[in-house]
Amino acid sequence: MNVVDATDRTEKQDEAEAPSLLTIILDTNPHAWNLLADTLPLSKAVANLLVFINAHLAINHANRVAVLASHSERAEWLYPTPAHSQENGAAKGSHQDGEDVDMGEEGSSAGQGGPVQSPDDANKYRPFAHVEHAILTNLRRLMSTTTPESLSSTPATMIAGALTLALSYISKQSQSQPAANMTSQFNYSDPTSVAGGNELNPSDSSKHHAALGLSSRILILSVSGDLANQYIPIMNAIFACQRLDIPLDILKLAGDTVFLQQAADASGGIYMALDDAQARAGLLQYLMFAYLPDQGAREHLIVPGEGEGVDFRAACFCHRRIVDIGYVCSICLSIFCEPLADGTCLTCGSHLKLSGYGQRPAVVPKKKKKKKRALEAGGMETPGSEGGTPAPA
Amino acid sequence: MASTASQRALDYLEGLPGTTFTRLYQQPSTALAIFRRMLPHLAKTIVMAMLYMPEPLTANSLDAWVKPDADSVGVKDRALSILQRLRILEEEGRAYKLAAAFAKSLRMALTGGGNHRSFGVPCSTPDEKPVSVDYLDTFARKQWESILYYVVGSANTELAAAEDISAGTKQLLQKGSFVTIRGRAATITDTGFTFLLQEVNAQIWTLLIVYLEVSSELQMDPVDVLSFLFTLGSLELGTSYATTNLTPTQQQMLDDLTDFGLVYRRTPDSTRYYPTRLATTLTSDAPALPNSSLSSTTTTDITAGAPQTVSQQQNEKGYIIVETNYRLYAYTNSPLLISILSLFSNLQTRYPNLVTAKITKASVLSAINTGISSQQIIAYLTTHAHPVLRHATPILPPTVVDQIRLWQIEGERMTAWKGFLIKDVGSDKDYEKAVQYAEALGVLRKEFRAKGWFFVTRMDQMSGYFKSQNARRRQEAAAAAAAAGQEGGSSAT
């Protein structure tokens, strides 16, 4: 029974939801986009992405956005515009870890329209115009500074670098966000304890996520396939996301990226692959329907991709091969595709001993056999092949 | 988001006829502002998902999208209810679609383009003497505080002569019954007290809604007025805009809005106007009047992540420390804030930058007698709590908060709700279903199970529900009758 009593009125909650920061990593790998040119050219994808960004900004006044380009040999900020990119944007080397973008300064300068000034247009909401203009200008600059030599040197994309940049940006932003908002503080005196009132008011249910400060998520728009050579940094970024509760949403337009699927799975994000041309034509609808809801809304929605099989294969640390079964260092859990040459782990340097590979497990171990290094033990891959193992990369 | 400020605007909008909505939604800026300000979070998600959908979304697919637990379904039903009340969502059989005008305008707001000029026309030529954001803030604060002074001043006579406000504003305050004229002096009413204790943003909306109500009496078109207000909310602080594109009604509004401090014009016939922070935060949750430091962070500064904004946000509100022994320390020297505090506490000592006070039963009861609720006092103390208190959860000492509530409850044993009593629903099953539906909508107040009655606060959607139930029953009855007829026919042959 509902009890109409005076304590009811204390529950009028301010249900303002937490602002959310959306970091988008756009894979701008020219090789991959070239393959997609007839079904979904980059310009069209970017146009769709801009509408998506505006929709995100429209949802809440405090919502923020950051956009990164994961280019073929470097990761680059598209929005907000880094402060020093005008001076040495072109001179930046291929070493993506070396650039230390001073986001503190830059945040304020981009907001006031510092580096890139957008045209005045009475038919466009000004914040949208600022963001769009900055992204397009920076993307154009990125494309014009790409040299043929740098393109031919690598067919891959710098997802790991972009992820790292995104994470550092998110952590900086969430620190600058004032921590507790007052709305969540009201439930200390539970109405039931005051007057024995029975509360059945359903408006109470959604208060718990108001306690969050800034909820962040990352969306990767991926077009490139093979990322095995960046396995370690990607996995580190994924674990960081997992720990920080940042969902990694993946929208894959082309290529086969095992690790990104794992990333979405591990961090609680959404993974979808638009493999055929028809699905790609509906890019905007996919974005608006599946990727726009933030953490608050996802609590109430069934997100796509749940319950699908995830490929959990890993890449080895020595040759970046993707392996089903490998060797794992017992100290640091590094993965290797074949036994190591001198029994020293490439990552942590521990001395490892491998014995009796391929032998059937015996209840009583034969101590004598140990010395013979199991050469004749099994016919398959054995430590005998150690001559072929190259030195650590 | 359902904060108090937008709740006010929402209540007003709901009262408008459907045709007004269609005209309102012609402006992309209005569509965007209503979308951003009035809708609960899930409703926004649903609207965005449907925005580029070529076909109506069937109710079944929507149900499949939302998690099946009771909590989520309740949130969904409430979202749909608000969307329908604002005429954003239309029901077509068993499917939903967005209102065409709204969808078109929102799409245009997202993509830009068109020639609606609803986001304000900036002046093409730069001002010879540009007006700084600091100046605008000072101007807005001066104008707005003088209005508050007028309202408070009518309670404390020694403050009355602080500032004078225009005759039009005074009339407006009387119309909204914030003050009543007794003899020659204005006296504050309980609505006025409620008004004072609100946040600045809610205060503005409260006043603007009175303005809207008055404006329709003055033959001003409410659509014109509303869409101009929403346009103001989307303008950029520190930029000057041209008055040439405005309709005569809107030109007329500029004068009144200058009195409120929402708009700055150098001279009353200037062709350019500057929106102040009071105006640009109309459709957002950002604090409208920076309290201590006049900062230059624009409201459009989406990337505001620099460390200095943090300290500002802490300064912006928060000067009150409440202790568990009911003592209250307020770091302020503003007569306005002090007189607001004196509404519900006993002032004790005043230092150059600090006032000490004590919350007593007598002071709280006298506040309650003048029409202030305990909830308002607590909300005021919470929103203006000093940063030192903000580190703790809960912010205010629970003993004090509970005691303030108890003092109010002591005198109030009854609450009155306006609403509708529904009886004779039909079978027990029908009754059960109807009650569940009402509860999901959040309109159920009380049920009298033994009598088969229940009481709701809103009727429009319940009547829709009963209509559809009736229609279904009739259909089923018809189908059953047809089936029975056939059976009868076959047995006869």
Side-chain angles (χ1 to χ4, degrees):
Chain A
M1 282 294 273
N2 288 14
V3 176
V4 181
D5 69 349
T7 52
D8 249 12
R9 95 202 77 180
T10 58
E11 289 154 24
K12 262 265 145 117
Q13 287 271 340
D14 190 6
E15 285 181 349
E17 66 268 18
S20 87
L21 166 65
L22 169 67
T23 311
I24 299 175
I25 296 176
L26 174 64
D27 185 352
T28 54
N29 182 0
H31 296 281
W33 281 107
N34 189 34
L35 295 176
L36 283 174
D38 355 317
T39 54
L40 182 74
L42 178 62
S43 57
K44 208 173 147 203
V46 169
N48 284 337
L49 199 62
L50 287 178
V51 174
F52 172 68
I53 289 172
N54 288 346
H56 170 74
L57 293 178
I59 279 190
N60 189 342
H61 180 268
N63 273 3
R64 301 182 210 158
V65 72
V67 186
L68 279 149
S70 151
H71 207 50
S72 56
E73 87 285 24
R74 63 178 190 260
E76 184 95 50
W77 281 101
L78 294 184
Y79 182 87
T81 316
H84 65 280
S85 69
Q86 298 98 307
E87 300 102 59
N88 58 354
K92 224 171 275 171
S94 59
H95 189 52
Q96 96 274 0
D97 295 12
E99 55 186 274
D100 185 26
V101 184
D102 191 356
M103 300 311 292
E105 264 173 48
E106 166 282 323
S108 51
S109 69
Q112 275 128 37
V116 274
Q117 202 46 264
S118 63
D120 282 333
D121 179 5
N123 298 322
K124 184 113 195 150
Y125 186 44
R126 294 281 297 245
F128 293 172
H130 280 305
V131 174
E132 280 182 16
H133 188 255
I135 291 176
L136 290 177
T137 315
N138 289 325
L139 189 61
R140 229 169 263 137
R141 185 189 296 139
L142 174 70
M143 288 307 174
S144 59
T145 53
T146 311
T147 55
E149 299 88 70
S150 63
L151 270 187
S152 54
S153 64
T154 166
T157 182
M158 272 299 163
I159 285 285
L163 263 177
T164 321
L165 278 177
L167 280 171
S168 61
Y169 182 73
I170 288 173
S171 99
K172 220 166 236 176
Q173 292 292 305
S174 9
Q175 269 169 21
S176 66
Q177 179 79 6
N181 65 3
M182 48 168 195
T183 56
S184 62
Q185 313 296 344
F186 256 107
N187 24 7
Y188 41 79
S189 68
D190 189 2
T192 51
S193 62
V194 176
N198 202 352
E199 59 139 10
L200 284 171
N201 195 338
S203 75
D204 253 38
S205 46
S206 61
K207 54 171 88 149
H208 51 281
H209 66 79
L212 306 168
L214 181 72
S215 69
S216 314
R217 65 187 199 275
I218 299 178
L219 167 65
I220 301 180
L221 207 67
S222 160
V223 289
S224 316
D226 178 40
L227 293 170
N229 57 350
Q230 294 176 38
Y231 177 73
I232 302 168
I234 288 181
M235 274 331 233
N236 284 338
I238 291 172
F239 293 133
C241 287
Q242 210 175 3
R243 179 162 278 204
L244 296 171
D245 261 340
I246 300 172
L248 271 170
D249 296 338
I250 313 290
L251 182 58
K252 192 163 69 69
L253 294 173
D256 180 30
T257 44
V258 175
F259 308 132
L260 293 183
Q261 195 177 0
Q262 287 179 26
D265 182 69
S267 59
I270 298 168
Y271 176 87
M272 275 166 101
L274 308 185
D275 284 327
D276 53 1
Q278 203 191 348
R280 276 179 215 139
L283 172 66
L284 182 59
Q285 185 59 40
Y286 276 97
L287 285 172
M288 299 287 261
F289 201 100
Y291 292 91
L292 194 62
D294 61 11
Q295 284 101 313
R298 280 181 203 178
E299 272 178 28
H300 301 298
L301 298 175
I302 294 173
V303 294
E306 270 174 5
E308 263 177 35
V310 180
D311 189 348
F312 280 116
R313 282 181 303 163
C316 71
F317 285 29
C318 46
H319 306 91
R320 320 285 185 229
R321 285 183 206 139
I322 295 176
V323 290
D324 290 327
I325 297 173
Y327 299 78
V328 175
C329 167
S330 53
I331 309 295
C332 68
L333 304 182
S334 302
I335 305 159
F336 303 100
C337 58
E338 46 194 46
L340 296 162
D342 47 359
T344 312
C345 171
L346 301 180
T347 311
C348 63
S350 316
H351 288 286
L352 304 169
K353 249 188 197 166
L354 184 81
S355 62
Y357 174 77
Q359 264 186 334
R360 300 186 63 83
V363 185
V364 184
K366 294 173 185 169
K367 274 173 190 166
K368 283 280 162 75
K369 286 263 164 153
K370 225 176 191 176
K371 284 265 159 112
K372 295 191 174 174
R373 307 220 64 188
L375 244 178
E376 57 284 330
M380 348 189 229
E381 220 175 350
T382 64
S385 67
E386 53 196 22
T389 309
Chain B
M1 54 198 70
S3 57
T4 47
S6 60
Q7 189 60 44
R8 251 157 222 298
L10 184 70
D11 289 343
Y12 174 79
L13 284 173
E14 272 180 47
L16 296 175
T19 46
T20 315
F21 276 100
T22 322
R23 283 176 58 215
L24 258 184
Y25 292 149
Q26 298 296 332
Q27 296 281 348
S29 61
T30 311
L32 180 66
I34 288 183
F35 170 80
R36 179 181 271 189
R37 196 74 180 99
M38 312 284 170
L39 299 186
H41 196 59
L42 192 68
K44 294 180 189 172
T45 311
I46 294 173
V47 168
M48 276 304 180
M50 291 173 67
L51 191 58
Y52 286 92
M53 219 174 250
E55 287 155 7
L57 180 67
T58 62
N60 287 343
S61 346
L62 187 62
D63 291 343
W65 190 26
V66 178
K67 281 187 187 165
D69 56 298
D71 179 19
S72 302
V73 170
V75 172
K76 181 205 75 176
D77 284 345
R78 233 165 305 136
L80 290 180
S81 138
I82 288 191
L83 285 176
Q84 282 171 343
R85 266 145 65 182
L86 287 174
R87 315 280 203 288
I88 292 175
L89 209 62
E90 290 168 357
E91 211 167 347
E92 256 186 16
R94 291 282 294 149
Y96 298 103
K97 74 177 181 68
L98 293 177
F102 180 84
K104 185 166 167 260
S105 292
L106 189 57
R107 276 197 291 264
M108 203 175 268
L110 292 187
T111 53
N115 195 25
H116 45 84
R117 302 195 163 264
S118 69
F119 289 106
V121 184
C123 274
S124 45
T125 52
D127 204 339
E128 298 112 53
K129 283 176 282 176
V131 179
S132 73
V133 174
D134 282 1
Y135 182 81
L136 287 177
D137 277 343
T138 322
F139 172 79
R141 175 202 305 278
K142 203 183 99 230
Q143 294 290 341
W144 192 253
E145 288 198 343
S146 64
I147 292 178
L148 297 185
Y149 269 123
Y150 179 75
V151 177
V152 178
S154 50
N156 304 27
T157 36
E158 65 266 28
L159 275 166
E163 283 282 343
D164 210 19
I165 57 173
S166 74
T169 318
K170 278 183 191 165
Q171 273 187 354
L172 200 59
L173 290 172
Q174 285 170 38
K175 282 267 186 197
S177 64
F178 301 129
V179 292
T180 52
I181 301 288
R182 290 217 187 110
R184 274 188 315 147
T187 323
I188 188 166
T189 63
D190 52 347
T191 333
F193 279 118
T194 319
F195 174 71
L196 276 182
L197 292 185
Q198 284 167 343
E199 283 209 79
V200 179
N201 209 314
Q203 286 175 345
I204 301 172
W205 270 114
T206 314
L207 193 62
L208 286 179
I209 284 161
V210 178
Y211 183 79
L212 278 165
E213 283 159 2
V214 174
S215 69
S216 50
E217 288 169 22
L218 297 175
Q219 310 303 319
M220 288 160 88
D221 186 1
V223 174
D224 241 8
V225 178
L226 263 178
S227 53
F228 186 54
L229 290 180
F230 286 126
T231 301
L232 278 181
S234 65
L235 299 185
E236 196 171 20
L237 192 64
T239 315
S240 64
Y241 291 87
T243 58
T244 42
N245 280 69
L246 302 180
T247 62
T249 308
Q250 294 171 342
Q251 299 262 17
Q252 195 186 333
M253 279 176 73
L254 273 184
D255 292 336
D256 298 321
L257 295 180
T258 315
D259 286 339
F260 302 157
L262 264 72
V263 169
Y264 172 74
R265 294 170 93 189
R266 196 165 283 125
T267 56
D269 50 355
S270 161
T271 55
R272 61 176 79 229
Y273 65 95
Y274 289 86
T276 68
R277 203 184 291 276
L278 287 177
T280 53
T281 51
L282 268 181
T283 55
S284 73
D285 276 340
L289 279 180
N291 219 358
S292 51
S293 62
L294 289 168
S295 61
S296 60
T297 39
T298 63
T299 50
T300 51
D301 190 356
I302 342 168
T303 57
Q308 88 260 15
T309 53
V310 184
S311 54
Q312 275 162 17
Q313 276 169 352
Q314 282 174 346
N315 284 339
E316 268 161 15
K317 37 187 172 178
Y319 63 97
I320 299 177
I321 295 179
V322 185
E323 289 185 343
T324 46
N325 55 9
Y326 301 89
R327 276 178 205 283
L328 187 149
Y329 304 90
Y331 285 89
T332 180
N333 54 9
S334 145
L336 178 64
L337 297 177
I338 293 173
S339 55
I340 289 178
L341 281 181
S342 73
L343 293 177
F344 56 83
S345 62
N346 278 342
L347 298 185
Q348 289 184 323
T349 329
R350 183 169 173 185
Y351 300 102
N353 68 334
L354 173 77
V355 179
T356 67
K358 192 161 188 192
I359 300 173
T360 62
K361 182 170 182 181
S363 71
V364 170
L365 283 184
S366 79
I368 288 170
N369 282 336
T370 52
I372 303 174
S373 74
S374 64
Q375 194 56 33
Q376 284 170 336
I377 298 175
I378 295 163
Y380 185 81
L381 291 175
T382 316
T383 40
H384 294 87
H386 195 274
V388 171
L389 285 186
R390 281 179 191 284
H391 293 306
T393 352
I395 295 178
L396 299 178
T399 50
V400 179
V401 173
D402 285 346
Q403 190 57 62
I404 293 178
R405 282 205 188 114
L406 287 174
W407 279 330
Q408 166 160 12
I409 292 168
E410 243 175 36
E412 290 183 19
R413 294 298 164 104
M414 238 160 127
T415 322
W417 299 96
K418 275 189 187 166
F420 304 85
L421 183 69
I422 300 178
K423 48 187 189 178
D424 301 334
V425 182
S427 68
D428 281 356
K429 219 173 118 195
D430 291 338
Y431 173 79
E432 201 62 47
K433 264 166 116 179
V435 167
Q436 268 172 12
Y437 182 74
E439 195 167 355
L441 285 182
V443 298
L444 183 67
R445 273 289 153 222
K446 170 104 180 151
E447 53 172 319
F448 308 91
R449 189 166 286 274
K451 291 181 178 163
W453 298 354
F454 62 102
F455 185 78
V456 293
T457 49
R458 304 182 60 89
M459 194 57 201
D460 34 5
Q461 290 200 319
M462 288 308 293
S463 59
Y465 168 80
F466 283 122
K467 259 181 215 146
S468 69
Q469 285 296 100
N470 276 342
R472 191 177 301 165
R473 205 168 301 142
R474 229 171 289 132
Q475 259 178 4
E476 276 167 14
Q486 234 170 22
E487 257 173 43
S490 60
S491 63
T493 46

